[in-house]
Structures are given as structure tokens and as C-alpha cells.
């Protein structure tokens, strides 16, 4: 039986496998369905990665290559071009590859690090024809940056997520004309810096509270209709703007890729669409851990790395100590907090627990607190929280102390003067 | 003038005004933000990232970047100048692909290890 099988070799899987190895696991198998390691970072050729983890500004491929280089000498078994198709409750992993065919192997622990995929047009449903030229921003990123194909000449982008913003600049520099970026919400879900350096630098307009209401064209996109939306997010008649374009990019969000997780009967949080985990990144199934975008959609790869190091270390401890998880506190959210990861905190957890969450609106001045049944453990002030940016709260477990299992409340409130 | 600092994900809201011989800069949470605001007024620069063709490699595009930020108004031309560049595998992260691009003093360097096919 293997010590550990890690599924997916993006930044999450790489960091988790390496950390498990550093913590004493010997027989580790890292499985990747692509022909190369590094996951989605390979197509994110822009810079801005690694400021926290490496204290320098790297591009996506550079960030990935740091971890790929570190694999050497660890003895971790790596299989590329190999796809996991099933996980069993007894931690048997079934995978297929050209080289080995269909193989099933049992492991003492499993780390899920399959990343996420993009929401597609079907998921949001725009009326109109179904011509060529409608694609997700991530697919466009792959065509342009990995395969070297241009996707269009006149482009409209729906959604203001970071990938869409990054692609606005990329396509402009490759000679395309990006006509507009259209966002249905009254705020952008992308980082402010990307609005500045990817749209403003190139004079690309951002229309907030607008959406694409129609796609026109026979074989290829010829026009899209953009309309303002009211507070109810319904289009406002008479506000139509028609753009002549050949391409519509969709940057409308990411969903954790959890088919395998679901089929294994692992509990999923309907809010994050990722597994429910305790602070050691362990899912509802003993010995199965999750980290990276498969657990919750991250904006910063540095946070992915930090989370994955925790998962790798915990998986090693689990295998080497043979100790099962004991009792847990559960975490619920209140106020502006839309979710919290981890959803459980072990009663015997030590050191610091990092809680990740998002807010449902822009909060200029706010407070973040974590409370138990009859005590507030921690309460801090924080300004400028936006829905586009994941927030974190570090909880020193010594503030919680040794108390019976109970419900904790993570509360984010706006402070008005 | 108001601007967003692009140097880290925090995205601080900066403002900068001429103040006699110097500048009055507000809103930065670290020194990098202060330096950014000043350079936006005097000599705005950006890092360019792009790809070039690569032959005989395991993949067909090699991602690249400028080794240091170049003047903002030269970014488009620098990107265009890479259209005609082809490198031969293998390349390593940091290999110089184009030295002193457009006389900016910055090199275009590879950002991914690409082995020979
Ligand atoms: C299109 C796109 C663009 C992005 N751009 C940015 C950006 O510009 N900046 C930024 O900070 N973040 C960006 N992100 C977020 C980025 O994904 C994360 O920062 C980080 O890469 C997530 O790491 P990960 O390892 O969790 O996932 P990934 O990097 O997605 O890695 C998951 C890996 O698992 C493999 N896999 C999945 N299922 C299986 C299976 N069944 N069997 C075997 N292998 C499997 C996949 O092939 C992949 O290599 C982007 C995400 C997407 C989807
Ligand atoms: S001022 Fe400093 S902390 Fe603020 S965005 Fe710029 S680099 Fe980041």
C-alpha cells in the first residue's frame, strides 16, 4: 500500500507532495492528467505571483518551476498523462494512462488537488445564436499562451474576473482590439491592480452593472448587445449598446472540480462547492485531505501554497502517527461573511488556525470576530474588504483553549461612524 | 492625482500632488507604493510578459518577460518586436532571449524550462 497518493500536480499538489515527503513519508505517488506539471500556472504567463511565498514577483511558469525543480531528489513518484477516474471509500484510487492502462492502488492517505474549472456559457445562459467565437477567458489564455493561436480581432469580455482582465491586456498586446469589459455586478470581482494595469493602461472601458443580453451572428460572432441592469440585475430597456466584434470572452467565475470527491461520498459545502474540511485540511472521509482550488477558489497562488503545505504536513502526520481525528468545533458564518474554510476546527488543534472567507459586499471599515458559546476569542478591525479578495483571519488556538465541542461563529460586520 | 498601486494584491489607493519642489504622496502602506506613485509621475514603467515561438521543444511557445520594467509607452512596441523571434529548445528560466530590447536596458528572458522534444 502507498503512503500517499496526490491527485493533480498544480501548485497545490506539488507543494503538498513535497511537504509530505519533507515530513517523513516515503512512498508518495503524484498523478497529473496533463503531460506536464504545474497546472494552470503554465498558462498564466503574467507576473504577480509569489510576493508572499518567495518575496519576489514571479510569473506563473516561474512560480511553478520553483516547485517542479524541488521535486528532484525527493523520491516522489510522478506520473503525467495519467487521469484519476475513481476514489473509493477505502482510499483505493483508480487511474488510467496510455503507459499503464487501468490501475487501482490503495493508499494510507490521499490529497485532493484537482484545481477548478471555469463556468461556461451554459451555466449562465445568454440568449441569442450559438456561433463560434464565444469562449471562456481561461480557454483563450491557453490557446494564446501555450498553443500560440490568436482567438479574435475585436473582443468583448463578459465578467471582470482576474483572468478576463489579464486577457484584455494580453490580447491587446497581441494586436487585438478589446472593446469593453462588462460586469453585471456593481463591483468588479477582479483585483484593483488588474483593473488599473490591464484595462486603464490601455483605455479599455469597464461597464459595471451591465451585461451581455444578446449574441448575434451566423457562423461566427458578429455583434453582441450590452445593456445596463437595475438593482434587481434585470436589463433596463433603452440602454442597449451594440458592439461589432468577432469574439466574446467569458470570465464569469470558477468552480472547484469535485466530481471525484462527490462520487467518493465526501461531504461538500454548498457555498464553496469544495469539500468540508477540518483545520488539518482533512475531509469527511478519514485520511483524505484537500487543498488549493479544489477546496475553495483562490485568487492568490501564495495562499494555495500555504494551504497545501498544511495539507501535506497533516497527511504525513496522519499516516505516521495512525491517529484519527478527534472531536471538532463547527464554524458557521454571520454578517457579511459568505463562507468559512475550514468548516471544522479540531478541539485539540494547536498553534494557529488560518480561517479563509469572503465578504458579500465592499466593506470600507469593518470588524471580524470569531466567537464560541460564551466567549469571543478574537475580534479585529479591517478596512477595505471587497468580494473579489479572499480574506484571512489567523486564530491562535491558545485563545480558544480547551473547551467542549461547540459551534463557532465567524462574524463580519460593517462599522459606520 | 489618484491611482491604484499595482505592486501587490493589496491595491492601495494612492494620491500624489506636486508640493513645491517635491511631491505629497498619500495612501501607501509600504515604501514600494510611494516609489510607484513617484515613478508614475516621472517615469512610468511596466513589466512586459509575452511568449515567443520555440522550435524543437516539448511545447511550441516559450513564455518570456522583461528582466526589469521598461517605459510604459514602449510596452506595445516591445511586444510587437517579439513576433519575429524564434528560439531553439532547450531553454531554462532566466535565459536571455533578446538582449537590451529596443535599447531599454532590459533583456527579454525565458520564464519556463523547456526541454528538447
Ligand atoms: C484559467 C485559469 C486562470 C487563472 N489565472 C490566475 C492568475 O492569473 N493569477 C492567479 O493568482 N491565479 C489564477 N488562477 C487561479 C489559479 O488556478 C490558482 O492560483 C492555482 O493555480 C491553483 O492551484 P491548484 O493546484 O489548486 O489548481 P491547478 O493549477 O488547476 O492544478 C490542478 C491540476 O490537477 C490536474 N487534475 C485535475 N483533475 C485530475 C484528475 N482526475 N486526474 C489527474 N489530474 C487531475 C489538472 O490537470 C491540473 O494540472 C487561474 C485559474 C484558472 C482556472
Ligand atoms: S503600497 Fe505597498 S502594500 Fe499597498 S499595494 Fe503598493 S506594494 Fe502593496
Amino acid at each position: 500500500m502507498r503512503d500517499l497518493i496526490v491527485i493533480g500536480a498544480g501548485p497545490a499538489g506539488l507543494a503538498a507532495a513535497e511537504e509530505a515527503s519533507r515530513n517523513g513519508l516515503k512512498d508518495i505517488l503524484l498523478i497529473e492528467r496533463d503531460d506536464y506539471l504545474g497546472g494552470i500556472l503554465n498558462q498564466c504567463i503574467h507576473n504577480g505571483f509569489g510576493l508572499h511565498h518567495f518575496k519576489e514577483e514571479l510569473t506563473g511558469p516561474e512560480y511553478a518551476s520553483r516547485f517542479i525543480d524541488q521535486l528532484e531528489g525527493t523520491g516522489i513518484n510522478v506520473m503525467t498523462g495519467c487521469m484519476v477516474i475513481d476514489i473509493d471509500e477505502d482510499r483505493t484510487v483508480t487511474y488510467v494512462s496510455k503507459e499503464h492502462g487501468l490501475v487501482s492502488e490503495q493508499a494510507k492517505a490521499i490529497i485532493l488537488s484537482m484545481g477548478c474549472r471555469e463556468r461556461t456559457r451554459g451555466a449562465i445562459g445568454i440568449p441569442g445564436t450559438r456561433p463560434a467565437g464565444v469562449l471562456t477567458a481561461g480557454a483563450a489564455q491557453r490557446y494564446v499562451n501555450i498553443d500560440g493561436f490568436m482567438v479574435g480581432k475585436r473582443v468583448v469580455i463578459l465578467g471582470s474576473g482576474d483572468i478576463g482582465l489579464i486577457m484584455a491586456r494580453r490580447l491587446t498586446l497581441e494586436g487585438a482590439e478589446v472593446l469593453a469589459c462588462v460586469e453585471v455586478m456593481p463591483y468588479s470581482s477582479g483585483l484593483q491592480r488588474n483593473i488599473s494595469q490591464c484595462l486603464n493602461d490601455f483605455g479599455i472601458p469597464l461597464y459595471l452593472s451591465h451585461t451581455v443580453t444578446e449574441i448575434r451572428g451566423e457562423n461566427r460572432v458578429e455583434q453582441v448587445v450590452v445593456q445596463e441592469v437595475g438593482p434587481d440585475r434585470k436589463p433596463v430597456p433603452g440602454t442597449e449598446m451594440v458592439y461589432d466584434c468577432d469574439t466574446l470572452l467569458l470570465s464569469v467565475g470558477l468552480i472547484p472540480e469535485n466530481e471525484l470527491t462527490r462520487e467518493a461520498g465526501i461531504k461538500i459545502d454548498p457555498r464553496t462547492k469544495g469539500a468540508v474540511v477540518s483545520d488539518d485540511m482533512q475531509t469527511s472521509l478519514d485520511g483524505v485531505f484537500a487543498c488549493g482550488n479544489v477546496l475553495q477558489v483562490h485568487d492568490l497562488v501564495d495562499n494555495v501554497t500555504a494551504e497545501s503545505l498544511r495539507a501535506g504536513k497533516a497527511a504525513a502526520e496522519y499516516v505516521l502517527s495512525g491517529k484519527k481525528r478527534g472531536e471538532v468545533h463547527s464554524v458557521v458564518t454571520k454578517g457579511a461573511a459568505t463562507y468559512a474554510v475550514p468548516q471544522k476546527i479540531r478541539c485539540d488543534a494547536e498553534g494557529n488556525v488560518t480561517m479563509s472567507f469572503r465578504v458579500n459586499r465592499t466593506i470600507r471599515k469593518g470588524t471580524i470576530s470569531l466567537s464560541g458559546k460564551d466567549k469571543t476569542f478574537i475580534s479585529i478591525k479591517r478596512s477595505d474588504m471587497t468580494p473579489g479578495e479572499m480574506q484571512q483571519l489567523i486564530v491562535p488556538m491558545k485563545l480558544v483553549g480547551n473547551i467542549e465541542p461547540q459551534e463557532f461563529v465567524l462574524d463580519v460586520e460593517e462599522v459606520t461612524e | 492625482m489618484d491611482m491604484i498601486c499595482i505592486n501587490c494584491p493589496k491595491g492601495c489607493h494612492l494620491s500624489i500632488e506636486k508640493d513645491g519642489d517635491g511631491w505629497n504622496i498619500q495612501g501607501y502602506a509600504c515604501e514600494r507604493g510611494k516609489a510607484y506613485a513617484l515613478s508614475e509621475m516621472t517615469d512610468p514603467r511596466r513589466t512586459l510578459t509575452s511568449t515567443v515561438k520555440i522550435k524543437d521543444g516539448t511545447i511550441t511557445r516559450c513564455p518570456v518577460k522583461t528582466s526589469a520594467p521598461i517605459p510604459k509607452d514602449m510596452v506595445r512596441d516591445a511586444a510587437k518586436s517579439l513576433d519575429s523571434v524564434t528560439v531553439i529548445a532547450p531553454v531554462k528560466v532566466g535565459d536571455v532571449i533578446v538582449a537590451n530590447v529596443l535599447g531599454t536596458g532590459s533583456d527579454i528572458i525565458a520564464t519556463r524550462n523547456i526541454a528538447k522534444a
Side-chain angles (χ1 to χ4, degrees), chain A residues 8 10-12 32-33 39-40 44 46 49 84 114-115 141 163 292-293 299:
Chain A
E32 170 56 51
R33 80 179 157 199
I40 214 81
C44 304
H46 57 280
F49 299 84
V84 173
M114 290 93 74
Q141 192 179 43
I163 309 166
N293 277 354
D299 349 284

Side-chain angles (χ1 to χ4, degrees), chain A residues 77-96:
Chain A
N77 302 290
V78 178
M79 273 189 210
T80 53
C82 180
M83 179 157 167
V84 173
I85 54 167
D86 188 59
I87 307 168
D88 244 333
E89 265 159 60
D90 66 354
R91 292 191 301 268
T92 299
V93 173
T94 304
Y95 55 87
V96 279

Side-chain angles (χ1 to χ4, degrees), chain A residues 204-346:
Chain A
I204 301 166
L206 170 63
Y207 293 105
L208 298 173
S209 298
H210 279 70
T211 192
V212 170
T213 50
E214 193 187 338
I215 300 171
R216 296 175 184 162
E218 285 296 316
N219 302 310
R220 175 89 199 187
V221 174
E222 288 166 19
Q223 288 182 328
V224 300
V225 180
V226 171
Q227 246 175 297
E228 195 179 329
V229 296
D232 54 356
R233 283 206 250 164
K234 297 241 163 63
V236 178
T239 59
E240 291 86 352
M241 296 187 278
V242 180
Y243 285 97
D244 292 320
C245 61
D246 56 20
T247 305
L248 175 66
L249 285 196
L250 307 174
S251 179
V252 290
L254 302 167
I255 318 178
E257 186 142 347
N258 272 308
E259 281 68 25
L260 289 173
T261 320
R262 256 186 223 101
E263 278 165 30
I266 291 169
K267 219 169 140 198
I268 302 279
D269 183 333
R271 294 172 302 177
T272 56
K273 314 269 191 296
V276 170
V277 291
S278 42
D279 60 286
D280 56 349
M281 301 292 128
Q282 194 168 183
T283 67
S284 61
L285 188 57
D286 265 344
V288 179
F289 299 77
C291 56
N293 277 354
V294 78
L295 178 63
Q296 55 174 332
V297 175
H298 290 264
D299 349 284
L300 289 179
V301 72
D302 300 85
N303 292 337
V304 170
T305 300
E307 185 174 280
S308 307
L309 294 175
R310 287 200 289 280
K313 184 158 185 258
E317 263 165 30
Y318 174 88
V319 170
L320 296 175
S321 74
K323 216 179 105 197
K324 290 254 169 74
R325 175 176 39 192
E327 289 190 296
V328 293
H329 307 292
S330 54
V331 183
V332 297
T333 56
K334 211 180 133 190
T338 55
Y339 71 79
V341 172
Q343 294 85 349
K344 312 272 177 199
I345 296 177
R346 291 167 302 159

Side-chain angles (χ1 to χ4, degrees), chain A residues 51 62 170 193 201 389, chain B residues 6-7 9 46 50 65 112:
Chain A
L51 276 169
E62 288 174 311
R170 183 76 184 109
R193 67 190 303 226
D201 270 10
E389 282 171 89
Chain B
I6 62 169
N7 282 290
R46 296 289 182 271
S50 187
K65 70 173 183 184
R112 183 171 174 181

Side-chain angles (χ1 to χ4, degrees), chain B residues 52 62-67 82 85-88 90-101 105-112:
Chain B
V52 297
C62 174
V64 296
K65 70 173 183 184
T66 49
S67 55
L82 297 179
V85 174
T86 303
V87 290
I88 311 285
V91 296
K92 286 235 156 287
V93 172
D95 282 359
V96 174
I97 306 293
V98 181
N100 190 14
V101 64
S106 285
D107 301 330
I108 298 287
I109 59 174
T111 56
R112 183 171 174 181

